[in-house]
Amino acid sequence: MVQILTGNEHDIGGLKVRRVLPNAGRRSVGPFVFFDHIGPHRFEPGVGIDVRPHPHIGLATVTFLWEGVLRHRDSLGSVQDIRPGDVNWMTAGRGIVHSERTPDAERASGHTMHGLQTWVALPKAHEEAEPAFTHHPAASLPVIERPGLRMVVVAGDAFGERAPVEVFSRTLYVSIELEAGTELQLPDEHAERALYPVQGEVELDGGDRSHRLDLNHMAVLDAGTTPVLRANAPARVMLLGGDPLDGPRAMWWNFVASSRDRIEAAKARWEDGGFGEVPGEREFIPLPDR
């Protein structure tokens, strides 16, 4: 009924995150090729996140927070704080550079950070798209409320609603909050689907058997099934997926592409300074040795 994916811890600018995709057991779920669970982590006063300027190609980054604030800056000149419930969607396309840092006020006072950063691979027809950045405040996202249940459609379409976030292929990305004892049947309207519980106790009932879903593990659902998600305690779960990729993707550092040649060209371009700069930031991260 499900394939379980576990993650590994990585450090991003002073914060440990759990990376579930890419995974040895599965490279992608729908268009999602990268899935980082950030926190929850409490920063003491004077401490914060500093992800220095770095490049991307061939993907879109999607940032969604439950707690905390991050300031996004990019080589287009965008400067945007993202707060809980908002969506930052950055289309890298042929190439973009961005940084993410804790704003001064939160760094000075101390704060908690909890959220997700994911990458979706762009379809081959859009790999060389012009880079772009859009911010969608929480109030602009569709909310579905039922007794004991609240769902926010973060990107794509789900449960009869569609988010205003521009996507390049059919996408499923929903934040689900359930009270204890609440059930939700998951429709089979998307080709690939996965659940990622971040809080509480949940199980999946497929009819012939139930499967407890552990926190911070991704459960990839079988296609065509309509299992029931049940909360045994107040819970928060992310539902993600969509149409499968239109072919395999190569991933190296922050680059995603349908060919190795594109990645090699991006490596040379970064070393030669061809990606541009984030205004006001002069730090440079060399290509990793790996």
Side-chain angles (χ1 to χ4, degrees):
M1 182 172 67
V2 294
Q3 177 190 17
I4 302 298
L5 306 178
T6 59
N8 296 303
E9 283 195 346
H10 293 259
D11 184 275
I12 57 163
L15 173 66
K16 289 190 182 298
V17 302
R18 181 171 294 276
R19 185 160 300 162
V20 185
L21 290 175
N23 192 286
R26 189 179 182 105
R27 303 295 295 175
S28 61
V29 178
F32 292 89
V33 294
F34 179 95
F35 187 100
D36 264 6
H37 179 196
I38 306 167
H41 180 83
R42 178 67 187 174
F43 287 98
E44 296 301 319
V47 182
I49 294 174
D50 286 293
V51 180
R52 296 174 294 165
H54 58 281
H56 288 288
I57 66 164
L59 57 87
T61 64
V62 191
T63 307
F64 181 78
L65 302 178
W66 291 292
E67 294 181 89
V69 186
L70 274 177
R71 178 161 296 162
H72 165 97
R73 295 179 183 269
D74 63 41
S75 50
L76 301 175
S78 311
V79 180
Q80 178 65 58
D81 288 353
I82 181 171
R83 299 181 181 275
D86 298 346
V87 177
N88 275 4
W89 179 287
M90 184 185 75
T91 301
R94 60 179 176 78
I96 198 169
V97 182
H98 77 131
S99 67
E100 291 173 301
R101 302 182 189 271
T102 301
D104 292 344
E106 285 74 20
R107 189 185 298 267
S109 62
H111 69 293
T112 299
M113 178 65 63
H114 188 205
L116 298 172
Q117 184 163 84
T118 57
W119 300 350
V120 296
L122 298 178
K124 293 177 182 178
H126 298 281
E127 282 186 292
E128 297 294 326
E130 288 296 312
F133 174 81
T134 55
H135 172 79
H136 299 272
S140 70
L141 303 178
V143 177
I144 303 164
E145 292 186 303
R146 302 174 188 172
L149 174 69
R150 185 177 190 272
M151 299 187 287
V152 178
V153 183
V154 176
D157 66 281
F159 303 96
E161 298 286 348
R162 182 179 299 275
V165 180
E166 181 184 4
V167 295
F168 291 86
S169 61
R170 195 168 183 210
T171 302
L172 171 68
Y173 204 32
V174 184
S175 176
I176 304 173
E177 296 179 1
L178 308 99
E179 295 179 6
T182 303
E183 295 184 347
L184 171 66
Q185 186 164 36
L186 302 173
D188 63 350
E189 56 188 353
H190 291 272
E192 297 184 356
R193 300 162 297 161
L195 294 166
Y196 185 81
V198 298
Q199 178 183 322
E201 298 178 13
V202 292
E203 63 182 17
L204 203 60
D205 187 349
D208 56 343
R209 64 187 291 262
S210 294
H211 190 108
R212 178 178 173 175
L213 303 183
D214 293 331
L215 295 180
N216 307 327
H217 289 64
M218 185 176 289
V220 182
L221 309 183
D222 287 344
T225 60
T226 57
V228 173
L229 178 67
R230 181 183 302 111
N232 297 322
R236 176 176 283 154
V237 182
M238 207 70 183
L239 173 64
L240 65 146
D243 285 349
L245 298 175
D246 57 352
R249 290 299 190 274
M251 292 182 63
W252 189 87
W253 193 35
N254 301 307
F255 304 143
V256 173
S258 60
S259 73
R260 288 284 177 184
D261 289 345
R262 274 197 170 101
I263 288 180
E264 292 302 317
K267 290 162 66 174
R269 192 166 138 217
W270 178 243
E271 288 190 314
D272 292 342
F275 271 87
E277 297 180 342
V278 176
E281 301 198 27
R282 294 292 180 267
E283 293 171 294
F284 177 78
I285 301 177
L287 293 175
D289 293 333
R290 58 183 171 83

